[in-house]
Amino acid sequence: MAKENALTEIGGFDIASCETAVDLTNQKRFNKLKLTSDQKMHMSALMSAMPSLIATNTLSQTYVLTFPEGIQGTLMHLKSGGYSTAIQNPETGRIVGTAALESTSAAQVACLGAFTAMSIASGQYFLSEINSKMNMMKLSLDKILEFLYGDKRAELMAEISFIRFAYENYGSIMEHNDQRLSTIISLQNARKVAMKDIEFYLSDLSSTVGAKDQNDILTTVEKSSQIKDCLELSTQLYVMSNLLEVFFSQNYDESFLRYIEDEATSYINKCDKRMLTSFSMLQQALVSHKDGLFKRIDKDILEQQTRLVEEVVAQLNTVEKSPLCGFLHDALILSRGKTRYYLNHAGDVFVEAS
């Protein structure tokens, strides 16, 4: 029991054998993490050391590990060998010190190495879950090219490609500190690019809707709809770059996460209000539209376009909180919540399905 208590006190995690049988093959309840070859080696070492880490006479077939707040945890691999663990105040989330663990027993080192591997693997899993909810970001590049336009086209495509590279290779990048640091810098730049592009498209939307020559109202509606898609893509890029920085930096300081959420929420809400103003103007233009002397518009097409614009206005006008803001809030809670891992004797690792 002393060894287990020491690990808990230093690392902030618990480890125990399952007292009842757990069906880890139940895909509705558990998801199996994908492990690299190096991560599998860490898990093999942990399973070999498990008997000395668990204070029980009868070992079960499954073990449960509860990781401290923050999906990736706080374990850091030291270049000189071994691991260090940042100790956080459980109430504020602030780092209050660092405990070096180079001199711990072989079983403890195996445990900490495996926890680092699991935290990275679970980070990869949760990032995939987050990305799957970004309807515009997950479009194929060909689909994105269909609506992107102007000088921002190449810029946005480059940043989107980088964001995809970052989250798909999260596990590998996290094992190479220099590459991790350069990725964080690139993510910060991607956030700035996203904000510049959002401002560009908002300005273009205002100019398009406010143009004095509205004889071809259908063209105006089509252009506005295209700009809306560009805005949605840019905003999702903005949110993903913020979230990825949290995951890569492993900065779970409460004040930092609160700042990220407050700033992003405020900015997204302001953007939605500006979009609402533009589409409300477009709605009024459609209602008051009159055919020109030599140009008439099919009434069915006009009514169809009017309904589309009305739907956009209704969505922007009735939602108290942007769905994207709600998603950001949930993702940040996920990033600093406790994680429970389930291990079997084969060294496979599972997390409970969200």
Side-chain angles (χ1 to χ4, degrees), residues 172-183:
S172 177
I173 294 173
M174 285 296 293
E175 294 178 354
H176 299 83
N177 195 51
D178 290 342
Q179 190 177 18
R180 181 175 69 90
L181 293 176
S182 65
T183 299

Side-chain angles (χ1 to χ4, degrees), residues 209 217-218 220-222 224-225 228 275-276 278-287 302-316:
V209 173
I217 190 67
L218 294 184
T220 301
V221 173
E222 183 180 355
S224 299
S225 179
K228 177 180 175 294
M275 286 181 61
L276 175 60
S278 293
F279 274 93
S280 295
M281 290 175 58
L282 183 57
Q283 183 182 26
Q284 291 300 318
L286 284 165
V287 171
L302 183 62
E303 289 178 0
Q304 180 184 22
Q305 296 301 312
T306 301
R307 285 195 299 269
L308 290 175
V309 173
E310 287 175 346
E311 289 176 3
V312 174
V313 171
Q315 181 183 14
L316 292 171

Side-chain angles (χ1 to χ4, degrees), residues 154 181 237 258 324 326-327:
L181 293 176
L237 173 64
R258 184 167 55 251
L324 196 56
F327 168 75

Side-chain angles (χ1 to χ4, degrees), residues 107-118:
Q108 291 172 333
V109 170
C111 185
L112 295 173
F115 279 7
T116 301
M118 284 187 291

Side-chain angles (χ1 to χ4, degrees), residues 304-353:
Q304 180 184 22
Q305 296 301 312
T306 301
R307 285 195 299 269
L308 290 175
V309 173
E310 287 175 346
E311 289 176 3
V312 174
V313 171
Q315 181 183 14
L316 292 171
N317 200 31
T318 58
V319 176
E320 295 182 1
K321 186 177 182 180
S322 168
L324 196 56
C325 292
F327 168 75
L328 174 65
H329 175 75
D330 293 341
L332 288 175
I333 289 179
L334 180 68
S335 72
R336 60 178 179 260
K338 289 186 177 180
T339 305
R340 176 173 289 184
Y341 301 100
Y342 292 80
L343 286 68
N344 60 20
H345 271 292
D348 298 320
V349 185
F350 300 80
V351 294
E352 292 181 287

Side-chain angles (χ1 to χ4, degrees), residues 236-253:
Q236 290 185 10
L237 173 64
Y238 170 70
V239 170
M240 277 298 291
S241 59
N242 273 295
L243 286 175
L244 281 169
E245 182 180 354
V246 171
F247 276 74
F248 275 97
S249 67
Q250 299 187 343
N251 183 353
Y252 304 110
D253 183 88

Side-chain angles (χ1 to χ4, degrees), residues 19 37 41 68 71 80 82 90 96-97 153 166 177 231-232 234 245-246 283 287-288 307:
E19 296 180 357
S37 57
M41 289 175 61
I71 290 173
S80 58
V96 296
R153 180 174 181 173
N177 195 51
L231 274 168
E232 188 174 354
S234 301
E245 182 180 354
V246 171
Q283 183 182 26
V287 171
S288 59
R307 285 195 299 269

